[in-house]
Amino acid sequence: MRMITLPLWAICSCNDQVLAEETNQDQLLEYVDISSVSQERGIERTESFRFGDAPSRARRIVREGDVLVSTVRTYLKAIAKVDALHSHCIASTGFAVLRSKNNFVDKEFLAWLLKSNDVLKSIIINSKGISYPAITSSDLMDIRVRIPVSLGEQKLISDLLNRKIDRLEAIISKLQNTLTQISTYRQSLITRAVTKGLDGDHQTSFIPLKYLAKLNPDVEQAMSDEIEYLPMEKVKNGMFLHHSDKLANLPPSLNSFEDGDILLAKVTPCFENGNICLAENCKGGVGRCSTELFVLRPNPQKVMPKFLMLLLQTQSFKQEAACQMRGTGGLKRIPADWLCNYKFPIPSLEKQKQIVEYMASKHSNLDGLTKKIKDSICLLNDYRSSLISAAVTGQLAIEEAEE
């Protein structure tokens, strides 16, 4: 297979069409935000707006066959091909919209190429910024890629990947459905335990959160130059990934927390995705986190931190909080005053302890099963990435891959 190395600008154009500022204020738009896109699943959802109410970022016109490449928070690898279903959408200016030059690259091949490991690494390497890395459109288009010279061979590779990846995604989808079922079961266990108790004799008082915990409390300054730092992506599903950085490298506007505090996402879709954790064993006992996280410090005389964590994960609270969110686009947030006044059912501390211990044993079993399924999905995604990269760079013979 004859290969050639070219910059992206030689095989595709970038941001060809932009929605005019003079657009009719009542024109309806289907908006694609960065949070709506993932490398594995493409465009997952859209939001409808009148042009007059749409976010100012809603300006990129797309058409079928274009490829959306996120130029901000590039570590998220938000890249998706625009299919027929979304060919009428308007994308965020946080995307670069790449359109193939038909004489040089097949549309399908371009989409697979941009999802290959070499291109993804180049995008991340050329991004600037620590907490909010971004790449300019010109730097993106200067990235050099290696492609087959023949459009026919590009088409064969695209057809192969379409078949192979479809089969892989069917398997992954079944595993993800199982995870959803486990999550639903976990939610039902939590809701039943904290609202009805373990023995059916569950006496509670409904108390506003502001009497149970302090919101965004003061924290003593760290004594070390290096501190625990938790951006949003480090907080997931009741736990967090330890991560530290030098204070001098961190953005100036961050929330502070200490061991024993609860961190709760306030912004969509992170809140709905379960971004919540209890801070424990942090470097120096204190840390900094995204301002998109509420910091709650429970009053131990009224509520156990782990019991409050359970309350914040009940389906009833999550549904009501989602309805109370304010804002537009992908940046709707839970109002702080609503959160402070939300009333939770609080039993005695003794009952809280029993429920926490019961749920810990249940969580342990479910966590073990969840980990096995997630490990399997991770392995399949790694194989997916390696297959894409090997195919688009000509390292995989078509005949061999079909076996």
Side-chain angles (χ1 to χ4, degrees), residues 223-234:
M223 302 300 292
S224 170
D225 289 337
E226 193 165 330
I227 193 171
E228 191 87 34
Y229 171 49
L230 298 181
M232 182 67 76
E233 65 272 13
K234 298 295 182 182

Side-chain angles (χ1 to χ4, degrees), residues 191-204:
T191 300
R192 181 175 179 178
V194 301
T195 59
K196 297 182 178 180
L198 304 180
D199 52 13
D201 182 22
H202 197 55
Q203 297 181 353
T204 63

Side-chain angles (χ1 to χ4, degrees), residues 180-201:
T180 300
Q181 292 170 358
I182 293 172
S183 178
T184 300
Y185 176 61
R186 190 193 298 264
Q187 286 282 341
S188 67
L189 283 177
I190 292 173
T191 300
R192 181 175 179 178
V194 301
T195 59
K196 297 182 178 180
L198 304 180
D199 52 13
D201 182 22

Side-chain angles (χ1 to χ4, degrees), residues 341-354:
N341 288 295
Y342 186 85
K343 294 180 179 180
F344 289 99
I346 306 298
S348 66
L349 287 172
E350 181 182 353
K351 291 288 187 182
Q352 292 179 36
K353 184 173 182 293
Q354 292 173 2

Side-chain angles (χ1 to χ4, degrees), residues 175 179 182 365-379:
L175 292 173
L179 287 178
I182 293 172
N365 294 333
L366 293 175
D367 288 345
L369 180 57
T370 298
K371 183 179 184 303
K372 288 180 181 178
I373 296 173
K374 286 184 174 180
D375 286 347
S376 296
I377 292 174
C378 186
L379 288 172

Side-chain angles (χ1 to χ4, degrees), residues 248-261:
N249 294 335
L250 301 183
S253 57
L254 291 172
N255 283 343
S256 299
F257 65 89
E258 63 183 37
D259 281 346
D261 289 347

